[in-house]
Amino acid sequence: MANALLNIKNLKISFLRDGEWNEAVHGVSFEVPRGKTLGIVGESGSGKSVSNLAVMRLLNEKQSKITADEIILDGKDILNLNENQMHDIRGKRIAMIFQEPMTSLNPVFQCGFQVTEAILAHEKVTEEEAKARVISLFKKVMLPRPEAIYKSYPHELSGGQKQRVMIAMALACNPELLIADEPTTALDVTVQKEILKLLKQLQQGVPENSESSKFSERSDNTVPTPLSMIFISHDLGVVSEVSDYILVMHDGRVVEFGESQEILNNPQDPYTKGLLACRPPMDYRLKRLPIVKEFLDGTWKEDADFKQQLIVTQEERDAHLKEIYSREPILKVEHLKTWFPLKKGLFNRVYDKVKAVDDVSFEVYPGETLGLVGESGCGKTTLGRSILRLVEPSEGKIIFEGKDVMSLSGNDLREYRKHAQIVFQDPYSSLNPKMRIGDAIAEPMLVHGLEPDAKKRRDKVCELLTEVGLQPEHYQRYPHEFSGGQRQRICIARALAVHPKLIICDESVSALDVSVQAQVLNLLNRLKKDFGFTYVFISHDLSVVRFMSDRILVMYNGRPVELGDADEIFNNPKNEYTKKLINAIPKINDNYGCPAGRNL
C-alpha cells in the first residue's frame, strides 16, 4: 500500500526457554494504511498480541529476540532505535489500549492523574492545561460526570468506564497509530458495542454536535494525520464491526489477508473458515458447533447434506421440549431476594441496601438448560450462588427435589451441594496452583465420602479426564501447564466427580477464544445428553445462551424482565432491554457454518 503509516516486513520473534531460543512468530509482514483500521484475528498463542508488543518494543529484551527486515513508521525505521528514542514514540506517536483495564491502571492513583501524567510526559504544558485536556477527553469518550471520574480511583468505575479511561489515556497525545489489544473481550455485549462505536467515531472525528470540539484538533491548532488503528481480537464478529482490512494469524504465521468484506464473505483459508463457523449462528439452531480442527484436518464437509444433519429441525425441538416439560421441576425458586447492606460511620450503621437479587421466581426441569442472561451487575451471578447458598439469600424459597434448601444445615446442606455443583468463570482462580489437577478433581470425592479407595479414586479421575477430552497422564500436571480451555475442562471434570444432578455454569466460556468456546459448549451439551444433567447457564452473551438453552431468563437490575422459550425470546423479544442485548451481538456472514439453515 502506497499510503501505509506502518510497514512491517518479515518480523520474527523468539523467546528464551530452558536455555534455548524458540521462535514464536515466523516472518510476519503487514501494513497499516493511514486513517484505516487493520483487524488482526487469531486464537490465543497465534502471535497477534506479541507482534504488536514487538512494534512498541515492550518485550523483555533478555527473554526475547526480535528480528525484521524493517519496521517502518511514517518513513522511519524504528527497529534499531534506543530506549530514549522509543520513549518519544510510545504514547505520542503510537499508543496502545491493553486488554484488561484494571491491571493497566494503577489502583492507588486517581484516574485523572494517570491520564494527566501521560500528557505531561510528552508535552510541555502546565498541569492546569493537561487537566483541562483530560476533562475534554473524558467527555469525548462519553464518560458520565467527567469531573467526578477525574477524581475517582479505578475500583470505583465499571469495566466499561475503566476501558474508556484507557482509551482517553491512549488518545491523550493525539497518536498517529492506536493499537487496541482485545479491548472488549471482558466486557458485556452492550458495553462492547458502545466501545466499538466509540473507537470508530474517534477515528473519524467526534460528531459536530459533541459537547466538545473535534477529537482530531491538536493543542497547537495544526492539522493532524488521520488516526490509524490496529484492532486485535480472537473474534471475527467483533473485528468486522470496526475493521477496513483483516489479517488472520495462526501459529505465528499470517494465513490470510484482505479487505474485511472479502475475508468475511469469501474466506479462502480453512482456518479462517473455521473461525467464522464456530460462532453460534443467529438464524438457526445447531446440534453442535463446528470447530476449527475440523476445517484444518479436512473432516468438515462442504456438501449441504452434511451440514443439514447438524441443524435442529422444529419437529426435533418440539419433541425435546415436550419430553422435558412433562416432568416435575427439579428446582423451584420463589420470590428470592439477596440484599447486601451498605454501612458507614464508626458504628457501621446500615444506611441502605444493594438489591442484587430482588424478587426472582422461576422453575428448572430435569434435563433442561435454563439460560440466565444480563449485563454485569444485573444479579445473575449472585442468583446462581444464592441457589447453592454460597451467598445467603435474604428472603424467598429454594426448593430442590421437593426439599427446602433454605432450611438445610450441616450434613444436609453438604449433601445438597453434592447434587448441585458450580463451574466458575475464571478456571485459573478456581484451581489451587499448588495442587496437581488430578488431586483437585479427586478432592470433592474425599469431601463427600465417595470412592474411599485411593486406586479406584485415581481411576475415576482418569476416566473423568478422558470424558472431558483430556488425557490420564495429565493427572500429575499443575494448572499453569494448561491453556484456558483445558483449565475449564478440568473444572467441569471436578464438578462431575460427585455425580451432580444440577450444574450452574457461571460465565464458564466468556473468557475463552471463540474456537475453544465452541469446544467447551459442545462438551457441555454432550455431557448433558450422556448423563442427564440439568444446567443453569449464566452469561452476558445472548447468542451463546440461545445455542445452549431451552428457555431464557433475562435479568436487569436484580429483577427478571423476560422469561420464555429461547428461540421465541431471541426471534421475538418483548422487553426493550432484551432487544438491546440482541441488537448488541456482532452480526457477520456465517455461510461457512450451515447455510442450508436459511432455507428451513
Side-chain angles (χ1 to χ4, degrees):
M1 300 176 188
N3 195 33
L5 173 68
L6 179 70
N7 193 321
I8 296 174
K9 289 185 179 179
N10 198 28
L11 174 65
K12 297 180 181 179
I13 305 172
S14 300
F15 292 98
L16 186 63
R17 183 177 181 181
D18 298 329
E20 295 184 2
W21 289 101
N22 298 280
E23 192 172 271
V25 175
H26 316 289
V28 167
S29 300
F30 62 86
E31 297 178 348
V32 182
R34 297 178 191 274
K36 301 292 184 182
T37 299
L38 171 69
I40 302 182
V41 183
E43 298 170 281
S44 297
S46 64
K48 57 188 188 299
S49 293
V50 76
S51 296
N52 286 277
L53 288 172
V55 173
M56 296 282 286
R57 299 269 297 281
L58 291 175
L59 297 176
N60 187 320
E61 293 184 358
K62 294 182 179 179
Q63 297 295 319
S64 64
K65 183 165 57 178
I66 304 168
T67 63
D69 291 347
E70 60 183 27
I71 302 179
I72 304 294
L73 176 68
D74 197 19
K76 184 177 182 179
D77 194 337
I78 64 173
L79 182 62
N80 298 313
L81 297 182
N82 61 38
E83 184 57 31
N84 287 335
Q85 291 170 319
M86 283 303 302
H87 179 269
D88 292 335
I89 289 176
R90 293 192 203 107
K92 187 169 181 62
R93 300 192 65 187
I94 307 176
M96 194 163 187
I97 305 169
F98 295 97
Q99 179 173 352
E100 179 46 64
M102 192 62 210
T103 57
S104 303
L105 292 168
N106 192 321
V108 301
F109 292 111
Q110 294 173 341
C111 294
F113 169 80
Q114 296 185 57
V115 183
T116 301
E117 187 179 36
I119 296 173
L120 294 175
H122 289 286
E123 300 190 20
K124 295 180 180 180
V125 295
T126 65
E127 289 190 16
E128 291 74 16
E129 290 171 333
K131 179 178 179 180
R133 191 191 298 186
V134 172
I135 297 293
S136 176
L137 279 166
F138 282 179
K139 291 178 181 177
K140 289 170 184 175
V141 298
M142 290 172 275
L143 277 167
R145 304 172 291 105
E147 289 82 3
I149 286 181
Y150 185 94
K151 299 178 181 179
S152 299
Y153 291 91
H155 72 272
E156 299 178 284
L157 307 183
S158 69
Q161 289 173 336
K162 285 195 285 278
Q163 197 60 282
R164 289 168 189 265
V165 171
M166 287 300 302
I167 293 172
M169 184 184 296
L171 298 174
C173 296
N174 296 307
E176 299 164 51
L177 176 64
L178 178 64
I179 302 174
D181 186 6
E182 301 269 14
T184 63
T185 296
L187 303 179
D188 296 331
V189 286
T190 49
V191 179
Q192 171 182 277
K193 185 172 184 177
E194 291 174 4
I195 294 295
L196 295 178
K197 182 180 178 182
L198 171 63
L199 288 173
K200 204 66 180 170
Q201 286 179 341
L202 291 173
Q203 184 181 37
Q204 297 165 355
V206 174
E208 295 291 348
N209 59 1
S210 171
E211 293 182 23
S212 56
S213 61
K214 276 198 170 186
F215 147 75
S216 57
E217 290 178 358
R218 294 182 184 269
S219 56
D220 57 6
N221 295 320
T222 60
V223 179
T225 57
L227 178 66
S228 303
M229 275 202 298
I230 296 175
F231 191 95
I232 302 169
S233 179
H234 62 263
D235 189 343
L236 270 164
V238 173
V239 168
S240 70
E241 298 275 309
V242 294
S243 300
D244 301 292
Y245 300 90
I246 291 177
L247 178 107
V248 184
M249 291 188 67
H250 178 54
D251 285 343
R253 292 181 173 84
V254 175
V255 298
E256 193 158 2
F257 170 77
E259 293 186 4
S260 294
Q261 290 308 308
E262 180 64 23
I263 295 290
L264 297 173
N265 295 322
N266 188 30
Q268 300 300 308
D269 191 85
Y271 181 71
T272 311
K273 293 179 181 180
L275 286 180
L276 282 166
C278 66
R279 303 175 73 254
M282 300 286 289
D283 50 0
Y284 51 90
R285 182 180 284 267
L286 292 176
K287 296 172 184 174
R288 68 170 181 84
L289 292 172
I291 60 175
V292 171
K293 184 177 181 295
E294 293 176 302
F295 288 81
L296 294 178
D297 62 20
T299 55
W300 178 263
K301 300 175 184 177
E302 291 294 332
D303 63 273
D305 289 341
F306 175 77
K307 298 173 183 178
Q308 193 73 29
Q309 292 173 10
L310 293 182
I311 297 170
V312 179
T313 66
Q314 192 59 51
E315 292 77 13
E316 290 172 327
R317 177 158 172 77
D318 290 342
H320 169 70
L321 296 179
K322 183 178 180 181
E323 180 184 359
I324 286 176
Y325 300 125
S326 64
R327 309 168 188 169
E328 288 296 313
I330 188 174
L331 175 71
K332 292 183 180 180
V333 175
E334 300 176 358
H335 305 292
L336 193 68
K337 298 180 181 179
T338 305
W339 295 0
F340 299 105
L342 295 175
K343 300 178 181 180
K344 67 178 181 180
L346 181 64
F347 300 103
N348 284 331
R349 180 177 61 85
V350 176
Y351 69 93
D352 203 354
K353 292 181 180 180
V354 175
K355 299 179 180 181
V357 177
D358 191 18
D359 196 15
V360 176
S361 300
F362 61 89
E363 298 175 339
V364 186
Y365 293 80
E368 180 185 25
T369 298
L370 176 71
L372 195 56
V373 72
E375 296 172 287
S376 296
C378 71
K380 57 187 187 297
T381 292
T382 302
L383 175 58
R385 297 187 180 198
S386 297
I387 291 171
L388 295 180
R389 282 184 58 192
L390 298 176
V391 174
E392 284 296 335
S394 306
E395 294 180 26
K397 289 185 177 181
I398 304 169
I399 310 296
F400 182 79
E401 292 188 321
K403 295 181 180 178
D404 184 0
V405 174
M406 297 291 286
S407 65
L408 300 179
S409 61
N411 290 334
D412 292 333
L413 182 58
R414 180 181 296 177
E415 181 69 15
Y416 163 62
R417 288 177 177 157
K418 182 175 76 173
H419 296 298
Q421 287 283 304
I422 187 168
V423 179
F424 294 101
Q425 177 174 358
D426 184 358
Y428 192 75
S429 62
S430 304
L431 296 168
N432 188 330
K434 296 181 180 180
M435 184 180 287
R436 291 181 175 88
I437 63 106
D439 296 330
I441 295 171
E443 188 178 33
M445 300 185 202
L446 289 170
V447 170
H448 292 286
L450 303 174
E451 302 290 359
D453 182 78
K455 184 180 184 306
K456 289 183 178 179
R457 191 165 59 247
R458 183 185 179 90
D459 290 343
K460 179 64 176 176
V461 171
C462 291
E463 180 184 325
L464 287 168
L465 286 170
T466 304
E467 196 66 51
V468 298
L470 298 174
Q471 302 299 322
E473 52 264 31
H474 290 154
Y475 189 107
Q476 298 295 336
R477 296 186 185 178
Y478 290 90
H480 72 272
E481 299 180 80
F482 296 89
S483 68
Q486 288 174 322
R487 285 196 289 265
Q488 198 60 280
R489 290 168 185 263
I490 293 165
C491 291
I492 293 170
R494 185 174 61 179
L496 299 181
V498 292
H499 311 292
K501 298 176 182 178
L502 172 69
I503 299 178
I504 297 174
C505 300
D506 184 11
E507 298 275 14
S508 53
V509 298
S510 62
L512 303 180
D513 292 338
V514 287
S515 53
V516 179
Q517 174 182 278
Q519 296 175 32
V520 174
L521 293 177
N522 288 341
L523 170 65
L524 290 171
N525 275 337
R526 180 176 64 79
L527 293 173
K528 173 186 172 182
K529 182 179 179 181
D530 292 347
F531 296 98
F533 293 138
T534 302
Y535 290 136
V536 174
F537 190 88
I538 301 172
S539 179
H540 61 260
D541 189 336
L542 214 125
S543 63
V544 169
V545 171
R546 188 252 183 146
F547 168 74
M548 290 293 295
S549 304
D550 301 298
R551 287 186 302 150
I552 291 176
L553 173 65
V554 184
M555 289 187 65
Y556 179 67
N557 281 348
R559 299 181 67 87
V561 297
E562 194 160 358
L563 172 63
D565 177 86
D567 289 354
E568 179 63 24
I569 283 182
F570 198 87
N571 295 324
N572 188 29
K574 302 292 191 298
N575 187 272
E576 288 301 318
Y577 177 68
T578 311
K579 293 177 183 178
K580 178 184 174 184
L581 289 178
I582 294 172
N583 290 334
I585 301 170
K587 299 171 180 64
I588 62 173
N589 181 293
D590 58 359
N591 282 349
Y592 293 88
C594 294
R598 302 182 189 281
N599 300 322
L600 288 180

